[in-house]
Amino acid sequence: MTSSSGRVQRVYPVLLAGALEDGESWVHWPSSSAMLFDTYEVVALKARLDHGRAAPEDHDDPRLVGRVARSTAAQADAALAAARAAQPFWARVPLDRRLDFVRAFHQLLRERAEEILSVLVAEGHPPAVGRWELSAALDVTHPDTVAYARDAMVWEGRQAGRLVRLVRKPDGVVCLDPARNAPMITALSGVPALAAGNAVVVNVPPTIPLSTAYLYHELVAPLLAEYGAPPGTLSVLCAPARPMLRTWLASPHCDDIFFFGGSAQGAELTRSCLEHGKKPIMELAGNDALVVWRDADLDGAVDAALERYLGSGQLCVAPKFAVVHPEVADDFTERLHRKVAALRVGPPDDPEVVLTPVIKRNQCKEVLDDAVARGAELLCGGDMVDVHDRPSLRGPFLRPALLRVRGLERASTMSAVTEETFFPLMCVVVPENEPTAAPDEALLDTVLAYVDANRYGLRNSLWSRDPHVIHRFAAEVTNGGVLKVNDSHVGTLPVLPVAGGTGLSGGVFGEANIPFLRTTRLQGISFGGPGGAARPDDHRTTSDGTLPAPPTALSTPIPVPEQSGTGRKADA
């Protein structure tokens, strides 16, 4: 929609089973730069618009970039019922055609990359963060990722004269609640879930709705229809998370709840899912370790550690603390300190900016004070500042902070190291190398044990040139869904999972997350020969110790339908 001022505003009603409907109200989105420079005026403007008290000229304010309709409870129920009705028909569409939908979506992402980045920047993501999100989106939908999914979802072979098929069937109706800190990239999990044969209901977060609404309204929905999906296969709502989650839990039409959020809330939701017969897919908090060995490429390791400050550290997959070998700790810390001190705040449309406004500013001060009281050295940062980098107790930014801690035991007493910290704070932890006959091996034992004992488990990374160190790290560390070696900590690759993990990061069912697989279930199928029922003891030995003769081999191929599913639970 173009306002009378000539500025394009993106307008997204409720998308309910292929139809656009009015919601109960609108969530208006001013540009994030306007929010930073004209904070009080723009907040007041948004409040007037959101609560229906706006003057006519407010709707044409050039600072507005879009609005998203807030859905009703009735629309949430209708979306679930429509998804249940549509899902069996979509699942009957051949798997390869559904995977072609993902390949076409990947190409669409490439073609509209600049437009996508402009939406992300308007929503408040600096270009560097937006490019990372777009890169991850391209990797999740990359043709190599799709090829891996195809191989993992269907396997066929012959056993004792039978055709054996292992196939992953869609769970049914997947309800997706994206993260508030990175909504578009987390909402993207719905695309592989759709390709797996599920129907999907997406709840756009009202607190940051623009990029997710854009993704599904302008890219996913039209393409999905083109590839033969019935209208009810996708609905896009926008409502507060808690009442929406209660609706999903109570509905017989919801099979999976795909949730992004904090560990405590995720654990509570997991229990509720199990009580209500829903499959929980949890993407929760992270407290990633970055290990730097004495032979590491320090320039590369420093750059990886600096990724902590992307989006002011409000990314769950960012490294939170670095465990650095004592021999290179001073050099590493000095290099990192220089780069951290050079980071500056600014509006998201500034291409040099990576820092964003920080939600948990007061908590950061508490964590820093606690760490310093327990013996950490604060090297820089932690002050609240405004968009001009001027000290201000009301400033939305924090100057990036860097701590140095001596000893793993001391670090274990600090929440700055042991808990997820969702602000621009990196801790450099220098373990104490005990004098032994093989000091490096003993230190490696200690560091490996420390990393593996982390209560969280999203991803970890290692910087070392030593094949022995790399082998032990890769072979022995079980913590985490992703392990990076001599590579960007937050960077993504085709096929490699973007997220998922163990411990508090993924819950009791946590693992590396490939949505194609997480929203499906494995089924085994055996097709016997045309000559009648096979004996149940074909693989047992006879009385003389020999194997019985196999049944007659299949002389003609059995027509086997493409992957399909009813979308009902196994016991329904």
Side-chain angles (χ1 to χ4, degrees), residues 460-484:
N460 296 298
S461 59
L462 167 71
W463 286 83
S464 174
R465 293 185 174 94
D466 188 334
H468 172 69
V469 174
I470 293 171
H471 170 75
R472 287 202 59 193
F473 202 90
E476 297 178 28
V477 172
T478 59
N479 173 278
V482 175
L483 170 62
K484 306 293 289 292

Side-chain angles (χ1 to χ4, degrees), residues 30 42 74 183 205 216 233 238 251 301 317 323 427 432 479 484 489 552:
V42 174
Y216 276 94
T233 305
C238 178
S251 173
V317 296
V323 179
C427 299
E432 297 170 344
N479 173 278
K484 306 293 289 292
H489 188 96
T552 304

Side-chain angles (χ1 to χ4, degrees), residues 12-16 18-22 217:
Y12 302 114
V14 175
L15 178 59
L16 180 56
L20 297 178
E21 296 188 358
D22 292 335
H217 277 261

Side-chain angles (χ1 to χ4, degrees), residues 432-453:
E432 297 170 344
N433 200 352
E434 297 294 334
T436 65
D440 254 16
E441 196 67 15
L443 181 60
L444 181 58
D445 290 342
T446 301
V447 170
L448 287 170
Y450 190 82
V451 171
D452 231 18

